[in-house]
Amino acid sequence: MRSNWFKSAALGTLAAVVAATGVEAQTSSEVEQLRREYDQQLRVMQQAFEERMSALEEKVKPGENDLQWYWKEGLRFETENGDFKFKFGGRIQWDSVWFDQDSDSENGKNGEFADSNEFRRARLEISGEIYKDFGFKAQYDFVENGDSEFKDVYIDYNNIPVIGTVRAGHFKEPFSLDELTSSKDITFMERGFPNDMTPGRNAGVMVTNAWVDDKITGAVGVFREADGDGDAFQDGGYSLTGRFTGRPWVTEDERRYIHLGAAASLREDFNNDSANAPFAYTSDGEVHLAPTFLDTGGLRIEDITLLGAEAAVVIGPFHAQGEYIYSYVDQKGGDSLDYDGWYLQAGYFLTGEARRYKAGEGVFDKVKPNNNFQISEDGGWGAWEIAARYSQLNLDDTDNLSGDVEQGEGEGITVGLNWYMNANLKWMLNYNHVELDYQDGTEEDFDSVQTRLQVTW
């Protein structure tokens, strides 16, 4: 293409020169001689032109370690040889809630609730790969619990034969499908009642791997109780936590599948002799802006055994999931305690999408609308989803405890409507009905309407 362009330009130039100088060919031999001379000069000029263009192209050709950037649901950078990859991401979730209580509840244990709003999460993060085998993530939340703190901060060593990946740092222990699914991608604004017993993030080292084309996953780690910055300033507080999942049935297009999983956590050597850090299970009744409704009070722990079972099914636009979590608490100098909780939820995409899945991790992934929302003739309406959930938590095994603490049982019904405008923008509307039965015989209930505007990148 470049040679043809050069030759056409040269012929045009020669014709213009001949016409301008008035050269007239008298014989066919003179014309032939002129053409040979012209062709020779043209080859010389063309060769010089090609050499010059090749040299320029070599100068501007990206090197193997030159970063190239692109957008894929977030700003990403990658080198030509794939040795280095970086992603800048984040999320903003702005919540509002309106409460409705009867007069008995307003004058009860928890008093009258105030309608409120908050930035539930405002996070920035960077993650990536270094020389393909090493990965990292650093995530910071600016509003969690009214203060700024680290979330996921860890380093991975990937592609280890037989073992898989080793992760070290501050991250979630491998326990519970709903807990491990990102807050960006859960179906409801808040996770269900049983989630109040899950370990969440702690400092530790974990081994994780996947087998059979990522249909089976496993993760086992050793952790230590840590604060929001990943720091631990007390003796003890160690745990061994593991989770295994499988998809025994999945179609080729991955719009239909079954998920099964089980998890366990052995938590020992809690140093609860200090009143500064007593262990307790607490619950805000699936409404983050509500007060703490249930509280076991400070427990002196010898060890805790957590067991979890989980299941989910996706059949095209329909999806359902459920979990059961059991906690056996062995007190120091006291009898053992039993707590448990469960939830069951289902949802349906009115616009035909199917809930996506991270096969190598055994959790749900981001929803991508079939047609993004746009106010134009060619625009779509995004993805619309309806969902419902029932959940329950029992913290009532407290016959051997003393003190004025609010132990009891809670159950909640949540109905939700989600609008995924595109892969980065989401609006959520939840109606919650919560009923509380306390150990002293007091009963309270309340209703709330919550809404969230979320942007992720």
Side-chain angles (χ1 to χ4, degrees), residues 173 202 223-226 234-239 267-271:
E173 298 187 30
N202 278 307
F223 299 86
R224 188 179 180 193
E225 293 288 325
Q234 62 176 358
D235 294 333
Y238 294 99
S239 62
R267 319 181 70 76
E268 296 184 349
D269 197 20
F270 281 79
N271 181 19

Side-chain angles (χ1 to χ4, degrees), residues 270-341:
F270 281 79
N271 181 19
N272 296 133
D273 295 331
S274 170
N276 293 327
F279 179 88
Y281 285 133
T282 64
S283 177
D284 56 15
E286 305 177 341
V287 182
H288 189 255
L289 282 164
T292 298
F293 296 120
L294 300 175
D295 189 343
T296 61
L299 304 176
R300 307 295 182 185
I301 304 299
E302 187 69 38
D303 58 70
I304 297 175
T305 300
L306 276 177
L307 301 175
E310 59 193 54
V313 59
V314 172
I315 304 176
F318 173 81
H319 59 87
Q321 69 184 76
E323 294 190 65
Y324 174 78
I325 298 176
Y326 169 78
S327 176
Y328 177 86
V329 179
D330 187 11
Q331 299 184 91
K332 289 183 178 180
D335 294 336
S336 61
L337 303 170
D338 297 275
Y339 303 122
D340 68 348

Side-chain angles (χ1 to χ4, degrees), residues 35 60 125 181 215 239 288 299 332 358 392 394 432:
R35 181 175 298 162
V60 299
E125 65 183 60
T181 297
K215 292 181 180 178
S239 62
H288 189 255
L299 304 176
K332 289 183 178 180
K358 291 183 179 179
Q392 189 177 83
N394 176 16
N432 299 79

